[in-house]
Amino acid sequence: MSIYDFSVKNAKGEDIPLSNYKGKVLLIVNTATGCGFTTQYDELQSLYKEFNQKGFEILDFPCNQFANQAPGSDEEIHSFCTGRFGITFPQFAKIDVNGENAIPLYKWLTENTTFQGFGHSPMGIMLSGVVKKSDKDYKNNGNIKWNFTKFLIDKEGNIVERFEPTDMKNLKEKISELL
């Protein structure tokens, strides 16, 4: 299987085959509008602006599974993101990324990657404590741990790397290498 075997719903409820993105470098992100990481929208938009014309796409999947930090409708979330952060990359329908209602794309992503750790920053240490309360074995499974987990996909549809919410530092370099 590859990323191109999946379809997802856009914010209007229409099926979008990911094969539409063949030959592009993709960054797939589960997002939330009320999260401490929401400011990453600025960095994501900057990456999109810099690399989109070179064959890069960000696929944004709002998710309300982590502390109810994306409670709005698809339309409300989109309005917030375009108004506050000026995002121009594709935003899809709100989804579940874990559990029995996780969309097939995210089941595949989590089955084929491992958790990379939150690091030793104050935010990383705090997040480890929060996540451990709901998933005692969180370090040993591929489940999404929090909002703004990112998956970098190469032009052939292969998962190249998983970036946890606390990690944005090497992302630009990795995208540039793949383009």
Side-chain angles (χ1 to χ4, degrees):
M1 282 195 96
S2 87
I3 197 95
Y4 305 129
D5 294 318
F6 297 95
S7 288
V8 293
K9 299 253 185 231
N10 67 13
K12 295 177 184 173
E14 302 163 330
D15 284 324
I16 306 297
L18 292 182
S19 59
N20 288 356
Y21 297 98
K22 268 188 181 172
K24 295 185 179 239
V25 172
L26 304 176
L27 188 66
I28 298 171
V29 188
N30 65 293
T31 61
T33 53
C35 176
F37 297 109
T38 301
T39 57
Q40 285 185 15
Y41 270 121
D42 281 330
E43 294 172 82
L44 293 171
Q45 180 59 32
S46 179
L47 289 170
Y48 190 70
K49 189 174 181 181
E50 182 173 350
F51 294 120
N52 179 248
Q53 295 301 314
K54 297 174 183 173
F56 173 66
E57 288 288 344
I58 295 174
L59 309 182
D60 175 0
F61 292 91
C63 176
N64 196 37
Q65 285 189 285
F66 305 100
N68 295 315
Q69 294 180 339
S73 68
D74 289 337
E75 186 177 306
E76 289 167 334
I77 290 168
H78 184 70
S79 291
F80 172 83
C81 292
T82 55
R84 176 121 185 244
F85 297 102
I87 68 156
T88 57
F89 47 83
Q91 198 167 46
F92 293 86
K94 188 165 36 171
I95 61 163
D96 281 357
V97 295
N98 291 330
E100 64 183 46
N101 294 321
I103 65 168
L105 169 64
Y106 265 85
K107 287 181 181 180
W108 181 77
L109 289 168
T110 58
E111 289 169 359
N112 289 286
T113 59
T114 56
F115 175 60
Q116 299 302 302
F118 292 126
H120 300 291
S121 69
M123 182 63 97
I125 293 166
M126 185 273 306
L127 201 51
S128 291
V130 170
V131 171
K132 187 176 186 176
K133 288 178 184 174
S134 62
D135 183 359
K136 301 280 187 245
D137 194 39
Y138 78 98
K139 291 181 181 178
N140 300 311
N141 64 57
N143 290 345
I144 303 297
K145 310 306 178 204
W146 206 255
N147 307 306
F148 290 88
T149 300
K150 295 163 274 306
F151 296 89
L152 188 58
I153 311 295
D154 68 16
K155 293 179 182 182
E156 289 78 42
N158 303 305
I159 302 168
V160 173
E161 194 163 344
R162 174 176 169 158
F163 294 84
E164 300 306 331
T166 52
D167 185 11
M168 286 286 288
K169 62 183 178 274
N170 297 320
L171 193 53
K172 183 176 179 176
E173 180 182 318
K174 298 280 186 179
I175 292 166
S176 187
E177 287 171 12
L178 291 175
L179 290 170

